[in-house]
Amino acid sequence: MNDMPLQTSWVDTVAYGESPDAAALCDHLRAVHRDHAGFTEGCAGQCRDTRGRTSYEWLAEAVSLDQRHVLDLACGSGALLSLLSARMPEQTQLTGVDMSPDELSLARARLPKNRVDLIQGQAQHLDHLHNGSVDVVLCHWALTLMDPVAPVLSEISRVLKTGGRFAAIVDGPMNSAPGYEAIHDLIYAHVQAILPAYGQIELGDPRVRNAEDLLALARVAFPGASIRVDSGVVRLEGPANVVAREAAGFFYAGFTLVDDKREAMLVELATLLSKNSDAGVVTFAMPINRLVVDLLAPSVAERALNSTTIGATSYF
C-alpha cells in the first residue's frame, strides 16, 4: 500500500476487502486528524446557506440562552465552542469532548481560558459526565463517523436532563445539492483506483447518512422523544482551483491519496466545477441534515411517541 499516505489498520483491512473493526476506525480517524487537524472547519466554516449561516451556526440555533450546560461531542478544533462561548452567558458551562489530541490542541489555543472544559475521550464512553447533567448535546458532522453508533446515542440519552435536547449535523441526501453527487463520484473514483473497496466499506455507520434510518436509531435511543430531521444546503463560491481544494478537503476519502494523485484529482475536480461557472466563479453545494431530539417529561412523552418527522426545510 505504498500508494497510500495513510498507513493505518483501517486502510490495510479495506485493501483486503474486509470490514475494519471499531479500533481500526479510531486509529484511522486519529491519523487523519493528526495530519490534517482543523480541516473540517476549513470547508464547513466557509459554506453558507441562503440565510448566510454556516452549518455551525445552524446547529448553534438549537441552543437557547438559558441553558446551563452544553456539551459539544467530537468538538474538533473548537469552531462550534468558539461560537457558543461568544453567544452564551458567562454562567453557561461549556464542555467539549474529542478523541484527537491534535484537534484539542487547536481548540485550547483558540478558546478563552477557563471558559470551556475540554476532555479527550470517545463518544461511546462519556464516563466523566454524570447522569442527567447536560441540557444540550451538540454534534457537528461527526455522528456519521462513529461506529458503533448505538452506544453513542445511549450515552447522550444518559447524560441529558429530562427536557434536554440533542442536535446534530449529518450528511444530507446527495441529490438535494446540485452537482454534489458528481463531485463525490469523481473523488471516490480516484481513491477506488487504488483502494477498490473504498465506498463499499465506508467510515462509520451508514444508517446515519439516511434520514429514515437515523430516525429509527433515534427512536430506539430516545423513546418517547420528539424527533425531527430538517434538510438544508450550504454553498461555497470562488475560483475553481480554490473551491476544488476546499471541497475535496471535506471528504475523508481524499486523504488516502498521495500528493501527486491528489493533485491530479484536484485538477479534474476544478474542471468539473468550471463546467457551469459564471465569469470564473464556481459553486460547490453540500447537502446537510440537522437532527433534533427533544427529551420530554413522561406525561408529554406519552403523547409524542410518534412525533418523529423528516422536515422539508431547505435553504437554497
Side-chain angles (χ1 to χ4, degrees), residues 1 3-4 11-12 26 39 44-45 55 57 75 102 110 149 194 207 224-225 233 277 279 283 295 301-302:
M1 299 307 298
D3 285 332
M4 294 303 204
V11 170
D12 291 341
C26 288
F39 78 88
S55 52
E57 291 168 330
C75 63
D102 304 281
R110 81 190 300 170
V149 73
I194 302 166
R207 291 177 295 176
V233 174
S277 66
T283 301
L295 302 191
E302 289 178 7

Side-chain angles (χ1 to χ4, degrees), residues 221-238:
F222 308 99
S226 172
I227 307 169
R228 67 174 291 112
V229 174
D230 293 322
S231 297
V233 174
V234 289
R235 286 182 166 86
L236 173 65
E237 295 184 346

Side-chain angles (χ1 to χ4, degrees), residues 10 24 30 46 59 182 236 280:
W10 191 91
R30 285 194 184 99
Q46 299 181 70
L59 184 57
L236 173 65

Side-chain angles (χ1 to χ4, degrees), residues 37-118:
F39 78 88
T40 303
E41 67 170 301
C43 181
Q46 299 181 70
C47 293
R48 297 182 179 274
D49 64 19
T50 55
R51 299 187 187 182
R53 302 173 301 183
T54 67
S55 52
Y56 293 109
E57 291 168 330
W58 193 29
L59 184 57
E61 287 181 2
V63 184
S64 61
L65 295 179
D66 61 347
Q67 305 297 344
R68 295 184 177 182
H69 188 184
V70 180
L71 168 65
D72 183 2
L73 194 57
C75 63
S77 55
L80 180 59
L81 286 169
S82 179
L83 180 63
L84 292 171
S85 67
R87 290 186 178 185
M88 301 299 291
E90 284 292 328
Q91 61 267 30
T92 302
Q93 180 182 354
L94 299 176
T95 302
V97 175
D98 201 280
M99 70 176 185
S100 167
D102 304 281
E103 294 285 3
L104 288 174
S105 291
L106 293 180
R108 289 191 183 94
R110 81 190 300 170
L111 295 169
K113 297 208 181 325
N114 303 320
R115 180 72 172 99
V116 181
D117 184 20
L118 294 172

